[in-house]
Amino acid sequence: MKFGEWLDKWFVGLRVEETTRAGYAPKIRLHIKPHLGAKKLRDVTDDDLDALYRKLETTPCPTNRGKPLGAKSVRHVHNILSGAFEAAVTKKLIPANPAATANPPTTRQIKSQQRKFVTLDDAATARFLGDVWTPCGQRDCGPLHFCTRDAPRGTTYTATGVRRSEALGMMWDLIHWDSPRTGTTTRSSTSTRR
């Protein structure tokens, strides 16, 4: 049996949520079958899987805006392959799962590719502040209406860089608008005054 045929059979009988199935389908169709689908199921080795992982990590992918797949996506491909091969072992179609000895991206490699913080540039910050201060225009809209109620808090986060808990716990005597660190509070003073 060819590996592509086994993948089709395995995927049809797979009992998972529809969202999981929707995530598996394009990876099988675009990344696994074109590279391994024509090989015989029993002939796929861990070296074949390693070669696939390296290829996915280095070759531009049209569905990924022309960039290679990230480590997390390649690891997801590995998890799909591991499940398919494990089912083949259970059905006694192959003696061992080649994915068990393959080398997919590690957790450390995945974490190193993840962005730590999403930051706003000046234009996005201006749009955010403009949006939070814009009244909705409903009949009962006013200074305490829900549409602008949180605008001062959003402005405080943006202008001072304090954490949410610090902004909510600020006391008037801790805010020094005319200090060299304009409009900021110190974390130590905020936490000790609560």
Side-chain angles (χ1 to χ4, degrees):
M1 176 186 294
K2 295 208 180 296
F3 181 55
E5 295 169 8
W6 168 248
L7 267 177
D8 291 338
K9 185 176 181 181
W10 169 77
F11 190 62
V12 167
L14 190 62
R15 291 180 173 258
V16 291
E17 296 288 329
E18 282 304 311
T19 53
T20 303
R21 183 175 292 281
Y24 281 18
K27 287 185 174 67
I28 291 171
R29 186 181 77 252
L30 299 172
H31 307 303
I32 299 173
K33 278 184 161 184
H35 301 288
L36 300 173
K39 289 192 82 144
K40 290 188 176 179
L41 173 60
R42 67 175 178 265
D43 292 341
V44 180
T45 65
D46 56 355
D47 289 334
D48 294 326
L49 300 182
D50 288 340
L52 171 64
Y53 303 151
R54 299 304 90 60
K55 185 172 188 168
L56 294 175
E57 290 176 309
T58 57
T59 305
C61 176
T63 60
N64 194 30
R65 294 175 294 211
K67 297 184 296 187
L69 291 184
K72 187 174 183 178
S73 294
V74 175
R75 184 61 183 235
H76 192 223
V77 168
H78 168 75
N79 293 342
I80 294 168
L81 286 165
S82 184
F85 283 121
E86 195 57 43
V89 170
T90 303
K91 296 245 183 214
K92 301 193 184 329
L93 299 173
I94 55 175
N97 183 345
T101 53
N103 297 302
T106 63
T107 303
R108 183 180 219 172
Q109 290 169 320
I110 293 168
K111 285 185 179 177
S112 72
Q113 287 185 349
Q114 292 174 338
R115 287 176 37 178
K116 303 291 186 246
F117 301 101
V118 177
T119 57
L120 300 177
D121 60 9
D122 290 344
T125 303
R127 281 193 306 275
F128 167 73
L129 291 174
D131 288 345
V132 298
W133 284 99
T134 303
C136 66
Q138 292 181 2
R139 185 169 38 112
D140 56 346
C141 185
L144 299 177
H145 194 245
F146 72 87
C147 65
T148 56
R149 175 184 59 209
D150 297 330
R153 186 175 56 197
T155 304
T156 302
Y157 297 156
T158 306
T160 63
V162 297
R163 295 184 296 235
R164 184 175 7 182
S165 59
E166 292 173 329
L168 294 173
M170 278 185 186
M171 296 181 207
W172 282 111
D173 61 336
L174 296 177
I175 300 173
H176 306 287
W177 294 113
D178 51 355
S179 75
R181 296 175 64 203
T182 304
T184 60
T185 63
T186 58
R187 290 191 169 128
S188 59
S189 65
T190 307
S191 58
T192 57
R193 296 290 304 255
R194 286 187 192 151

mmCIF file of all heavy atoms in Angstrom, residues 48-71:
data_model
loop_
_atom_site.group_PDB
_atom_site.id
_atom_site.type_symbol
_atom_site.label_atom_id
_atom_site.label_comp_id
_atom_site.label_asym_id
_atom_site.label_seq_id
_atom_site.Cartn_x
_atom_site.Cartn_y
_atom_site.Cartn_z
ATOM 1 N N ASP A 48 13.553 9.759 5.783
ATOM 2 C CA ASP A 48 12.621 10.423 4.860
ATOM 3 C C ASP A 48 11.866 11.540 5.583
ATOM 4 O O ASP A 48 11.652 12.629 5.030
ATOM 5 C CB ASP A 48 11.611 9.426 4.287
ATOM 6 C CG ASP A 48 12.251 8.382 3.402
ATOM 7 O OD1 ASP A 48 13.228 8.715 2.707
ATOM 8 O OD2 ASP A 48 11.765 7.234 3.414
ATOM 9 N N LEU A 49 11.472 11.263 6.815
ATOM 10 C CA LEU A 49 10.740 12.272 7.592
ATOM 11 C C LEU A 49 11.646 13.455 7.925
ATOM 12 O O LEU A 49 11.234 14.618 7.805
ATOM 13 C CB LEU A 49 10.164 11.660 8.861
ATOM 14 C CG LEU A 49 9.181 10.508 8.657
ATOM 15 C CD1 LEU A 49 8.641 10.027 9.994
ATOM 16 C CD2 LEU A 49 8.048 10.897 7.739
ATOM 17 N N ASP A 50 12.891 13.163 8.318
ATOM 18 C CA ASP A 50 13.829 14.250 8.612
ATOM 19 C C ASP A 50 14.064 15.125 7.381
ATOM 20 O O ASP A 50 14.122 16.350 7.482
ATOM 21 C CB ASP A 50 15.164 13.684 9.105
ATOM 22 C CG ASP A 50 15.069 13.103 10.511
ATOM 23 O OD1 ASP A 50 14.112 13.462 11.235
ATOM 24 O OD2 ASP A 50 15.942 12.304 10.883
ATOM 25 N N ALA A 51 14.199 14.483 6.218
ATOM 26 C CA ALA A 51 14.390 15.241 4.973
ATOM 27 C C ALA A 51 13.170 16.118 4.683
ATOM 28 O O ALA A 51 13.310 17.268 4.247
ATOM 29 C CB ALA A 51 14.654 14.288 3.811
ATOM 30 N N LEU A 52 11.973 15.578 4.941
ATOM 31 C CA LEU A 52 10.750 16.363 4.744
ATOM 32 C C LEU A 52 10.737 17.569 5.677
ATOM 33 O O LEU A 52 10.439 18.691 5.251
ATOM 34 C CB LEU A 52 9.514 15.493 4.982
ATOM 35 C CG LEU A 52 8.175 16.237 5.028
ATOM 36 C CD1 LEU A 52 7.857 16.886 3.677
ATOM 37 C CD2 LEU A 52 7.059 15.296 5.447
ATOM 38 N N TYR A 53 11.068 17.366 6.951
ATOM 39 C CA TYR A 53 11.048 18.464 7.911
ATOM 40 C C TYR A 53 12.022 19.566 7.498
ATOM 41 O O TYR A 53 11.694 20.744 7.539
ATOM 42 C CB TYR A 53 11.385 17.974 9.318
ATOM 43 C CG TYR A 53 10.484 16.886 9.837
ATOM 44 C CD1 TYR A 53 10.945 15.955 10.753
ATOM 45 C CD2 TYR A 53 9.169 16.763 9.408
ATOM 46 C CE1 TYR A 53 10.135 14.951 11.240
ATOM 47 C CE2 TYR A 53 8.345 15.755 9.882
ATOM 48 C CZ TYR A 53 8.833 14.847 10.797
ATOM 49 O OH TYR A 53 8.019 13.851 11.271
ATOM 50 N N ARG A 54 13.234 19.189 7.113
ATOM 51 C CA ARG A 54 14.230 20.186 6.688
ATOM 52 C C ARG A 54 13.766 20.921 5.442
ATOM 53 O O ARG A 54 13.969 22.125 5.304
ATOM 54 C CB ARG A 54 15.589 19.538 6.409
ATOM 55 C CG ARG A 54 16.273 18.830 7.564
ATOM 56 C CD ARG A 54 16.533 19.611 8.812
ATOM 57 N NE ARG A 54 15.583 19.681 9.903
ATOM 58 C CZ ARG A 54 15.090 18.676 10.641
ATOM 59 N NH1 ARG A 54 15.343 17.438 10.361
ATOM 60 N NH2 ARG A 54 14.289 18.909 11.654
ATOM 61 N N LYS A 55 13.138 20.178 4.512
ATOM 62 C CA LYS A 55 12.649 20.813 3.284
ATOM 63 C C LYS A 55 11.549 21.834 3.602
ATOM 64 O O LYS A 55 11.540 22.938 3.064
ATOM 65 C CB LYS A 55 12.125 19.751 2.317
ATOM 66 C CG LYS A 55 11.707 20.313 0.987
ATOM 67 C CD LYS A 55 11.392 19.227 -0.002
ATOM 68 C CE LYS A 55 11.163 19.849 -1.358
ATOM 69 N NZ LYS A 55 11.135 18.893 -2.430
ATOM 70 N N LEU A 56 10.629 21.461 4.480
ATOM 71 C CA LEU A 56 9.546 22.378 4.843
ATOM 72 C C LEU A 56 10.077 23.621 5.552
ATOM 73 O O LEU A 56 9.521 24.709 5.424
ATOM 74 C CB LEU A 56 8.520 21.665 5.724
ATOM 75 C CG LEU A 56 7.723 20.542 5.061
ATOM 76 C CD1 LEU A 56 6.823 19.850 6.084
ATOM 77 C CD2 LEU A 56 6.909 21.050 3.892
ATOM 78 N N GLU A 57 11.168 23.453 6.302
ATOM 79 C CA GLU A 57 11.744 24.580 7.042
ATOM 80 C C GLU A 57 12.591 25.513 6.161
ATOM 81 O O GLU A 57 12.877 26.628 6.570
ATOM 82 C CB GLU A 57 12.635 24.072 8.183
ATOM 83 C CG GLU A 57 11.871 23.428 9.307
ATOM 84 C CD GLU A 57 12.775 22.842 10.372
ATOM 85 O OE1 GLU A 57 13.704 22.082 10.025
ATOM 86 O OE2 GLU A 57 12.547 23.157 11.560
ATOM 87 N N THR A 58 12.978 25.025 4.972
ATOM 88 C CA THR A 58 13.880 25.832 4.149
ATOM 89 C C THR A 58 13.305 26.249 2.801
ATOM 90 O O THR A 58 13.766 27.227 2.220
ATOM 91 C CB THR A 58 15.195 25.065 3.896
ATOM 92 O OG1 THR A 58 14.901 23.816 3.271
ATOM 93 C CG2 THR A 58 15.945 24.824 5.188
ATOM 94 N N THR A 59 12.315 25.534 2.294
ATOM 95 C CA THR A 59 11.772 25.829 0.968
ATOM 96 C C THR A 59 10.598 26.796 1.074
ATOM 97 O O THR A 59 9.685 26.571 1.879
ATOM 98 C CB THR A 59 11.295 24.527 0.283
ATOM 99 O OG1 THR A 59 12.377 23.601 0.269
ATOM 100 C CG2 THR A 59 10.819 24.789 -1.117
ATOM 101 N N PRO A 60 10.593 27.863 0.285
ATOM 102 C CA PRO A 60 9.456 28.792 0.314
ATOM 103 C C PRO A 60 8.142 28.070 0.008
ATOM 104 O O PRO A 60 8.081 27.223 -0.867
ATOM 105 C CB PRO A 60 9.792 29.803 -0.780
ATOM 106 C CG PRO A 60 11.271 29.728 -0.917
ATOM 107 C CD PRO A 60 11.638 28.295 -0.639
ATOM 108 N N CYS A 61 7.132 28.428 0.753
ATOM 109 C CA CYS A 61 5.814 27.792 0.609
ATOM 110 C C CYS A 61 4.812 28.829 0.101
ATOM 111 O O CYS A 61 4.633 29.879 0.724
ATOM 112 C CB CYS A 61 5.375 27.244 1.961
ATOM 113 S SG CYS A 61 3.734 26.548 1.968
ATOM 114 N N PRO A 62 4.135 28.551 -1.030
ATOM 115 C CA PRO A 62 3.197 29.541 -1.577
ATOM 116 C C PRO A 62 2.029 29.853 -0.638
ATOM 117 O O PRO A 62 1.496 30.955 -0.667
ATOM 118 C CB PRO A 62 2.705 28.905 -2.876
ATOM 119 C CG PRO A 62 3.193 27.516 -2.891
ATOM 120 C CD PRO A 62 4.240 27.364 -1.849
ATOM 121 N N THR A 63 1.655 28.894 0.216
ATOM 122 C CA THR A 63 0.541 29.152 1.133
ATOM 123 C C THR A 63 0.981 29.892 2.386
ATOM 124 O O THR A 63 0.164 30.222 3.232
ATOM 125 C CB THR A 63 -0.136 27.825 1.552
ATOM 126 O OG1 THR A 63 0.836 26.997 2.195
ATOM 127 C CG2 THR A 63 -0.722 27.117 0.355
ATOM 128 N N ASN A 64 2.284 30.143 2.516
ATOM 129 C CA ASN A 64 2.820 30.863 3.672
ATOM 130 C C ASN A 64 3.486 32.157 3.214
ATOM 131 O O ASN A 64 4.544 32.521 3.694
ATOM 132 C CB ASN A 64 3.806 29.974 4.446
ATOM 133 C CG ASN A 64 4.135 30.528 5.812
ATOM 134 O OD1 ASN A 64 3.322 31.197 6.442
ATOM 135 N ND2 ASN A 64 5.336 30.253 6.273
ATOM 136 N N ARG A 65 2.863 32.842 2.249
ATOM 137 C CA ARG A 65 3.368 34.100 1.688
ATOM 138 C C ARG A 65 4.807 33.976 1.187
ATOM 139 O O ARG A 65 5.616 34.878 1.352
ATOM 140 C CB ARG A 65 3.233 35.226 2.706
ATOM 141 C CG ARG A 65 1.796 35.569 3.040
ATOM 142 C CD ARG A 65 1.751 36.575 4.114
ATOM 143 N NE ARG A 65 2.284 35.975 5.321
ATOM 144 C CZ ARG A 65 1.925 36.265 6.536
ATOM 145 N NH1 ARG A 65 1.030 37.188 6.748
ATOM 146 N NH2 ARG A 65 2.450 35.691 7.581
ATOM 147 N N GLY A 66 5.117 32.812 0.635
ATOM 148 C CA GLY A 66 6.435 32.608 0.047
ATOM 149 C C GLY A 66 7.549 32.362 1.037
ATOM 150 O O GLY A 66 8.710 32.305 0.668
ATOM 151 N N LYS A 67 7.207 32.199 2.315
ATOM 152 C CA LYS A 67 8.226 31.906 3.328
ATOM 153 C C LYS A 67 8.164 30.423 3.667
ATOM 154 O O LYS A 67 7.116 29.790 3.539
ATOM 155 C CB LYS A 67 7.975 32.724 4.593
ATOM 156 C CG LYS A 67 8.065 34.216 4.382
ATOM 157 C CD LYS A 67 7.916 34.967 5.682
ATOM 158 C CE LYS A 67 6.538 34.757 6.271
ATOM 159 N NZ LYS A 67 6.236 35.553 7.434
ATOM 160 N N PRO A 68 9.271 29.840 4.143
ATOM 161 C CA PRO A 68 9.225 28.444 4.602
ATOM 162 C C PRO A 68 8.303 28.321 5.815
ATOM 163 O O PRO A 68 8.005 29.314 6.488
ATOM 164 C CB PRO A 68 10.673 28.146 5.001
ATOM 165 C CG PRO A 68 11.494 29.203 4.359
ATOM 166 C CD PRO A 68 10.605 30.409 4.204
ATOM 167 N N LEU A 69 7.866 27.106 6.093
ATOM 168 C CA LEU A 69 7.017 26.885 7.265
ATOM 169 C C LEU A 69 7.827 27.124 8.535
ATOM 170 O O LEU A 69 9.026 26.840 8.578
ATOM 171 C CB LEU A 69 6.474 25.465 7.279
ATOM 172 C CG LEU A 69 5.451 25.095 6.212
ATOM 173 C CD1 LEU A 69 4.948 23.670 6.446
ATOM 174 C CD2 LEU A 69 4.277 26.048 6.211
ATOM 175 N N GLY A 70 7.169 27.600 9.548
ATOM 176 C CA GLY A 70 7.807 27.784 10.845
ATOM 177 C C GLY A 70 7.942 26.463 11.571
ATOM 178 O O GLY A 70 7.324 25.453 11.210
ATOM 179 N N ALA A 71 8.745 26.474 12.620
ATOM 180 C CA ALA A 71 8.998 25.255 13.398
ATOM 181 C C ALA A 71 7.715 24.670 13.979
ATOM 182 O O ALA A 71 7.540 23.455 14.017
ATOM 183 C CB ALA A 71 10.000 25.557 14.505
#
